[in-house]
């Protein structure tokens, strides 16, 4: 009953807050446009009475949403006031934790998006870029309103934590927001840095992107504004949340004891490492594609400087992600070694190896499957394939993918096998290894089933008279290559799982056989006699101390008359 009540209160509070933010930001937008922040060449969708329509909508929305939010938020806050019998339960409720997680996330997205748009408009204005269809007044208004609401909820949540410990899902959900925001900010930061690297390279080789078209101002203005806004906003979000999380982790009190073993923090490290490895492999394979494309005569660039740029730029773009990869592996390891037990340290070391192994395996599998398909095409079509450039383009694209992926997988898997060789029983029992093997097995099985389905579809279609391609083998080359790779992956990891299971079963303690029921020992009745007035209990205590093992001395009451 209380859960349903909380769901109603916090749902209505959230709806009221969202509508209120929209109404207040609309009011501020009109004010800022009156102050001169409206774009001079922007479209006027509302006609001559646009301002009046905006004001009418904004006042109506605020008038409705403000009482809705105030009333329900007053009820929610009243439940956690000190001295109330249910204050501790309300403060630790899952619904309240969910409300803060969702509200903080949405408000952060709104404020960050508005700030990014405001920075882009400012940079485009400075560089002479196209600022049409942009409203700095709306961006500034949303940033102020959403940012103020976000800061208010952060203060409220900090107050809740200051009262006392929060446990369970009530702590897990807002903690998930904290690390999700840090991850999103770091991703935006690294992508922004990559955008700047690409922009500098394109300016150096004088090759604008193909999608620019006829734009106002220099072609690089929008790319510069977009990349810089990502760096500033993403860096601020990541740095702010990660520093706050680090302060919580280092807290010597109960906050630190709650934060250090949190699995969400460990999941954050794994997510960053995985995303970084994916990006590094992608950019390195792009550089390899540029090199191989030049060697095979199918490069996208015509001049030597442009060809060098296509090789160097992806490699430079991989550097920010490689730094994030190494930095978070080191931080995860140091935290586990400093604050946690040996089990946490071993888990951190396993995660730092198994996550790249899965990424490398995925890249290598895709690349090898396409290469096998190319070989099957050669076998099926022969000279027809060799006379064109299509096979060269496919080779330039997928050979680097296979090489980079196989390199990452071999590097990680070699270290994993070395750990396994040192302590096979411990590694076989680890959840990280078992999860990695199961994920690889599942991926191989699913890919194999999907590819086999494509093959059977074509074969049955030809049997039932559906128009078949001129060369069935060439048509099914990719599906056949995928089946071969998927089967190899599934068999290898399935055998590893089976070996680990046998090893765990061999080290399991044997099941104890049921013991026969204990036999009632035979006994004799002894009579203890002593002088009149002596203490028999003292004599019994002395006798009990001298009894052999397995013997018991009991006092039997005398039989009745």
């Amino acid at each position: 009953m209380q859960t349903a009540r909380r769901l109603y209160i916090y749902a209505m509070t959230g709806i009221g807050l969202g509508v209120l933010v929209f109404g207040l930001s609309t009011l501020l937008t009109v004010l800022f446009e009156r102050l001169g922040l409206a774009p001079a060449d922007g479209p006027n969708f509302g006609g001559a009475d646009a301002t009046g329509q905006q004001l009418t909508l904004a006042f109506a929305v605020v008038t409705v949403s403000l009482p809705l939010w105030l009333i329900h938020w007053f009820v929610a806050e009243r439940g956690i006031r000190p001295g109330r019998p249910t204050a501790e339960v309300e403060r630790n409720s899952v619904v309240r934790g969910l409300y803060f997680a969702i509200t903080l996330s949405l408000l952060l997205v709104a404020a960050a998006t508005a700030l990014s748009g405001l920075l882009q408009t400012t940079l485009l204005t400075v560089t002479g870029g196209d600022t049409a269809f942009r409203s700095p007044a709306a961006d500034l208004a949303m940033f102020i309103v959403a940012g103020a609401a976000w800061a208010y909820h952060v203060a409220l949540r900090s107050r809740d934590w200051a009262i006392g410990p929060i446990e369970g899902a009530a702590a897990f959900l807002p903690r998930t927001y904290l690390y999700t925001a840090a991850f999103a900010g770091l991703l935006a930061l690294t992508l922004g840095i990559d955008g700047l690297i690409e922009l500098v390279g394109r300016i150096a080789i004088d090759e604008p992107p193909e999608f620019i078209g006829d734009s106002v101002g220099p072609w690089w203005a929008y790319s510069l504004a977009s990349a810089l806004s990502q760096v500033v906003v993403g860096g601020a979000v990541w740095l702010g949340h990660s520093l706050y999380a680090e302060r919580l982790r280092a807290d010597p009190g109960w906050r630190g004891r709650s934060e250090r073993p949190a699995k969400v923090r460990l999941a954050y490290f794994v997510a960053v490492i995985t995303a970084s490895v994916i990006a590094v492999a992608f950019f390195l394979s792009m550089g390899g594609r540029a090199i191989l494309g030049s060697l095979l005569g199918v490069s996208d660039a015509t001049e030597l400087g442009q060809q060098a740029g296509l090789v160097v730029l992806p490699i430079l773009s991989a550097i920010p992600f490689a730094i994030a990869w190494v930095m978070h592996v080191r931080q995860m390891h140091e935290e586990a070694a400093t604050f946690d037990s040996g089990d946490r340290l071993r888990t951190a070391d396993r995660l730092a190896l198994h996550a790249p192994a899965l990424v490398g395996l995925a890249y290598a599998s895709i690349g090898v499957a396409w290469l096998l398909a190319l070989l099957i095409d050669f076998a099926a079509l022969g000279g027809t394939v060799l006379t064109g450039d299509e096979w060269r383009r496919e080779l330039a694209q997928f050979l680097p993918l296979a090489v980079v992926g196989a390199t990452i997988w071999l590097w990680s898997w070699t270290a994993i096998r070395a750990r396994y060789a040192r302590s096979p029983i411990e590694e076989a029992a680890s959840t990280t290894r078992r999860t990695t093997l199961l994920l690889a097995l599942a991926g191989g099985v699913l890919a194999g089933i999907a590819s086999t389905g494509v093959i059977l579809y074509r074969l049955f279609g030809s049997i039932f008279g559906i128009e078949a391609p001129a060369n069935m083998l060439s048509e099914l080359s990719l599906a056949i290559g995928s089946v071969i790779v998927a089967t190899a992956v599934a068999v290898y990891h399935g055998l590893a799982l089976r070996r680990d299971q046998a090893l765990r079963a061999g080290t399991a303690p044997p099941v104890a056989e049921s013991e026969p029921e204990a036999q009632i020992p035979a006994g004799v009745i002894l009579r203890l006699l002593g002088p009149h007035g002596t203490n028999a209990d003292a004599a019994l205590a002395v006798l009990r101390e001298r009894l052999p093992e397995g013997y018991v001395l009991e006092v039997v009451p005398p039989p009745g008359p």
Side-chain angles (χ1 to χ4, degrees):
M1 188 66 180
Q2 289 298 319
T3 301
R5 175 181 175 273
R6 294 189 193 105
L7 285 172
Y8 163 76
I9 291 174
Y10 285 105
M12 298 305 294
T13 300
I15 293 172
L17 177 64
V19 178
L20 180 62
V21 168
F22 169 75
L24 291 177
S25 63
T26 303
L27 285 176
L28 283 181
T29 299
V30 174
L31 174 62
F32 292 146
E33 287 179 347
R34 287 292 185 179
L35 294 176
L37 288 180
D41 53 350
N44 187 2
F45 296 108
D49 198 25
T51 301
Q53 293 178 5
Q54 286 181 306
L55 288 175
T56 301
L57 175 64
F59 276 115
V61 166
V62 171
T63 303
V64 172
S65 61
L66 182 59
L68 176 67
W69 176 70
L70 284 176
I71 293 172
H72 289 87
W73 189 237
F74 172 79
V75 175
E77 286 289 279
R78 184 182 61 180
I80 66 166
R81 288 178 183 174
R84 294 184 66 89
T86 60
E88 191 68 16
V89 176
E90 291 294 329
R91 194 172 59 87
N92 280 273
S93 69
V94 177
V95 179
R96 185 175 178 86
L98 179 63
Y99 167 79
F100 274 103
I102 295 176
T103 302
L104 288 172
S105 300
L106 295 178
L107 290 174
L108 180 65
V109 169
T113 303
L115 179 59
S116 178
L118 186 62
L119 290 175
Q120 288 185 29
T121 303
T122 303
L123 291 170
L124 287 172
T125 303
V126 172
T127 57
D130 188 4
T131 58
F133 298 98
R134 293 180 175 275
S135 176
D139 289 333
L140 180 59
M142 179 58 72
F143 173 69
I144 292 175
V145 176
W150 177 83
Y152 172 71
H153 282 79
V154 168
L156 290 177
R157 194 58 179 170
S158 300
R159 179 209 60 190
D160 287 355
W161 280 103
I163 295 174
I166 299 178
E167 301 175 349
F172 166 78
L173 293 170
R175 184 180 288 129
T176 302
Y177 151 78
L178 174 64
Y179 289 105
T180 301
F183 174 77
L186 179 61
L187 189 62
L189 172 63
T190 49
L191 290 175
I193 295 175
D194 281 342
L196 290 176
I197 293 174
E198 181 182 2
L199 177 61
V200 172
R202 288 187 177 277
I203 292 176
I205 63 178
D206 193 21
E207 185 181 351
E210 297 178 356
F211 63 86
I212 289 297
D214 297 329
S215 59
V216 178
W219 62 265
W220 47 263
Y222 177 77
S223 298
L224 177 64
S226 178
L228 276 179
S229 64
Q230 278 187 294
V231 170
V232 173
V233 177
V237 171
W238 170 68
L239 191 62
H241 288 80
S242 60
L243 288 178
Y244 179 75
E246 179 64 21
R247 190 181 69 180
L248 294 181
R249 185 191 64 84
D251 187 275
W254 62 267
R255 292 291 309 265
R257 290 193 299 271
S258 172
E259 195 70 26
R260 284 189 289 272
K263 293 182 179 180
V264 179
R265 184 173 179 84
L266 200 60
Y268 161 76
F269 285 117
V270 175
V272 172
I273 293 169
T274 303
S276 300
V277 177
I278 291 173
V280 168
F282 172 76
F283 285 117
L284 291 181
S285 63
M286 284 185 61
R289 175 187 177 184
I291 295 174
L292 197 56
S294 299
L295 296 176
L296 295 175
V298 291
S299 175
D300 295 331
T302 57
E303 299 180 0
L304 181 61
Q306 292 178 341
Q307 292 178 352
L310 292 179
V311 174
V312 174
L313 286 179
I315 297 176
L316 293 177
S317 298
I319 293 177
F321 289 97
I323 293 174
W325 177 7
V326 174
M327 182 178 69
H328 284 80
V329 167
R330 182 177 301 175
Q331 185 178 0
M332 181 173 64
H333 180 86
E334 290 177 353
E335 287 184 11
T338 305
F339 292 99
D340 297 302
S341 62
D343 292 338
R344 183 65 174 261
L345 179 59
R346 288 187 289 271
T347 299
D349 291 339
R350 291 190 193 103
L351 290 173
L353 293 173
H354 283 78
L358 282 175
V359 174
L361 179 64
Y363 272 95
S365 299
I366 295 172
V368 172
W370 276 94
L371 293 177
L372 288 176
L374 189 59
L375 290 176
I376 295 172
D377 277 340
F378 283 159
L381 301 177
T384 306
V385 177
L386 292 173
T387 55
D389 287 339
E390 187 63 27
W391 73 271
R392 293 183 176 87
R393 294 187 182 277
E394 290 190 6
L395 183 63
Q397 181 175 358
F398 293 105
L399 181 58
L401 203 67
V403 171
V404 171
T407 302
I408 294 175
W409 179 76
L410 286 173
W411 167 76
S412 304
W413 201 250
T414 300
I416 291 170
R417 288 182 61 84
R419 291 178 60 90
Y420 189 87
R422 289 193 299 267
S423 53
I425 297 176
E426 181 181 353
E427 292 300 314
S430 71
T431 304
T432 302
R433 176 181 172 85
R434 196 180 315 174
T435 303
T436 299
L437 295 177
L438 287 172
L439 287 175
L441 177 62
V445 170
L446 292 176
I449 290 175
S451 302
T452 303
V454 172
I455 295 173
L456 293 177
Y457 172 77
R458 283 296 191 184
L459 292 178
F460 287 134
S462 62
I463 293 173
F464 293 125
I466 299 177
E467 182 179 357
N471 193 311
M472 180 70 74
L473 185 60
S474 176
E475 180 73 16
L476 297 176
S477 60
L478 181 57
I480 296 173
S482 300
V483 168
I484 295 173
V485 174
T487 302
V489 170
V491 169
Y492 179 82
H493 292 87
L495 291 175
L497 270 172
R498 185 176 180 181
R499 183 172 60 250
D500 289 356
Q501 184 177 1
L503 189 60
R504 291 193 300 269
T507 57
V511 179
E513 298 181 359
S514 58
E515 298 180 357
E517 294 184 359
Q519 299 293 327
I520 299 176
V524 295
I525 298 177
L526 303 177
R527 178 178 295 179
L528 181 64
L529 301 175
H532 181 71
T534 58
N535 187 359
D537 292 337
L540 287 172
V542 173
L543 290 174
R544 287 193 176 101
E545 291 179 357
R546 297 178 179 273
L547 286 174
E549 185 178 356
Y551 284 81
V552 178
L553 181 62
E554 296 180 348
V555 177
V556 180

